[in-house]
Amino acid sequence: MASLGQMSDYEVRLVRIFKTVVECGGFTAAETALGISRSAISQHMNDLEGRLGFSLCQRGRGGFSLTEEGKEIYQAGLTLLTALEAFKSDVNALHHTIKGELNIGITDNLVTLPAMHVTHALAELTAPNHEVTVNIHMEPSDAVIRSVMDGHLHVGVVPAVNLPTSLETHLLYEEPSFLYCAVGHPLFDETDEAFTAEQIAAYPAITPRYPLPSDARKAHDALNLQASASDREGAAFLILTGRFIGFLPEHVAAQWVNANKMRAIQPGTQCYQIPFVLITRHDRRPNRVVDAFLGFVKGAK
């Protein structure tokens, strides 16, 4: 089709009309199939022949028949239209199949959160119709933030504390934390009404060495801080000795509370919440896997 140059939608339409005419065996029979008049079909055929530079068929009293060039153009047209349908199918498949890799960093002790939107989103992303490899890195929040900023991680899940302005954030959870003591501690068998906040502050407590929002930090500063922990699991270890009191997220302490090995102290007042966010770089490149994951997270909330 040297005379056509670059094919437009109109030329493709002319090829489709020609194909229908051939398969119907003539102009008259093609009227119903195409939904246009015989004269319109004739005009389209003349137009296609003019663009190609040779006659495609004989029509008239002798009936409809293809020229030798017409036979070759018909076969070439079948190849063209089949390729277009294959292209369309491949594009449509891309809308239903996600391929690639997701590198996600998550700070510790989040898997037991009751509403785990990240888990639900990962389940959607790794459904059988997708081809996604997920690489999870469990790291302290500052390490997750650095890795997202330098591009080693696509997304991260961290507490919303002192985040750089170069990061885009999506709120995931509000994580409630309470003050706990364990079996063997003097407060464990007491009722909350039996002591005051001042008396609570007399007992050895744990200070965290991980980022906290200001209201959470104030709650710790009101205590008698005599030990420290680098993460929530470390704080749990110290609380379970029966020698210290300390704050833990409710979902982290739940296993020991349910086993009657820990209890919350005055939960109505000795508490705070930490917002956890999903972070990505503001200037990140378009990435279909990441975009799909963010969409699944929003859909899970």
Side-chain angles (χ1 to χ4, degrees):
M1 293 187 179
S3 300
L4 287 180
Q6 290 186 337
M7 291 194 70
S8 69
D9 290 343
Y10 180 63
E11 276 96 16
V12 173
R13 180 167 179 261
L14 293 179
V15 172
R16 291 186 188 279
I17 292 172
F18 174 56
K19 172 180 176 291
T20 303
V21 169
V22 173
E23 293 173 352
C24 289
F27 291 13
T28 302
E31 283 185 282
T32 302
L34 292 170
I36 58 177
S37 69
R38 187 173 182 277
S39 61
I41 294 173
S42 180
Q43 180 60 50
H44 287 313
M45 291 298 297
N46 289 336
D47 198 359
L48 180 58
E49 289 175 329
R51 289 165 184 263
L52 292 172
F54 41 71
S55 176
L56 297 175
C57 60
Q58 302 293 333
R59 57 264 201 191
R61 293 188 179 185
F64 177 85
S65 63
L66 291 177
T67 63
E68 289 303 314
E69 292 83 1
K71 292 176 184 178
E72 292 194 29
I73 291 299
Y74 173 69
Q75 292 301 322
L78 291 180
T79 301
L80 169 66
L81 297 177
T82 299
L84 287 174
E85 287 304 313
F87 175 76
K88 187 187 300 182
S89 296
D90 289 344
V91 171
N92 288 338
L94 285 175
H95 287 284
H96 301 286
T97 302
I98 303 168
K99 299 180 181 181
E101 188 173 74
L102 179 72
N103 297 319
I104 177 172
I106 303 178
T107 192
D108 67 314
N109 299 121
L110 290 185
V111 72
T112 50
L113 271 167
M116 195 53 182
H117 306 313
V118 168
T119 301
H120 298 157
L122 290 175
E124 293 282 356
L125 194 66
T126 55
N129 58 307
H130 301 316
E131 299 175 22
V132 176
T133 299
V134 176
N135 302 306
I136 290 186
H137 304 261
M138 303 301 296
E139 297 177 333
S141 60
D142 57 346
V144 173
I145 292 169
R146 285 196 303 271
S147 294
V148 171
M149 291 180 66
D150 64 23
H152 287 99
L153 293 176
H154 296 119
V155 295
V157 180
V158 295
V161 182
N162 302 325
L163 295 177
T165 56
S166 59
L167 294 178
E168 184 175 329
T169 63
H170 309 268
L171 180 64
L172 289 174
Y173 323 102
E174 291 282 352
E175 181 190 68
S177 290
F178 298 95
L179 184 63
Y180 289 93
C181 64
V183 171
H185 193 278
L187 296 177
F188 187 79
D189 294 317
E190 296 286 343
T191 62
D192 286 342
E193 294 77 14
F195 46 83
T196 64
E198 289 74 17
Q199 290 172 310
I200 292 173
Y203 291 100
I206 305 157
T207 184
R209 299 199 308 274
Y210 46 87
L212 289 174
S214 58
D215 59 336
R217 185 62 63 187
K218 288 178 183 178
H220 286 86
D221 290 343
L223 301 177
N224 179 17
L225 303 175
Q226 295 188 18
S228 69
S230 62
D231 54 32
R232 282 93 71 87
E233 187 175 4
F237 265 108
L238 289 171
I239 294 169
L240 287 167
T241 65
R243 299 286 184 264
F244 299 91
I245 59 175
F247 284 94
L248 284 177
E250 184 180 27
H251 64 95
V252 173
Q255 58 179 308
W256 297 295
V257 172
N258 293 337
N260 201 34
K261 293 182 178 180
M262 270 190 201
R263 80 171 188 88
I265 303 169
Q266 296 183 346
T269 55
Q270 298 289 346
C271 61
Y272 57 79
Q273 288 197 335
I274 298 179
F276 275 78
V277 293
L278 193 70
I279 58 172
T280 57
R281 283 172 48 166
H282 272 300
D283 61 348
R284 69 180 178 88
R285 294 180 178 178
N287 183 310
R288 191 154 177 258
V289 173
V290 176
D291 291 341
F293 176 71
L294 294 176
F296 290 142
V297 167
K298 292 176 182 177
K301 294 175 68 175

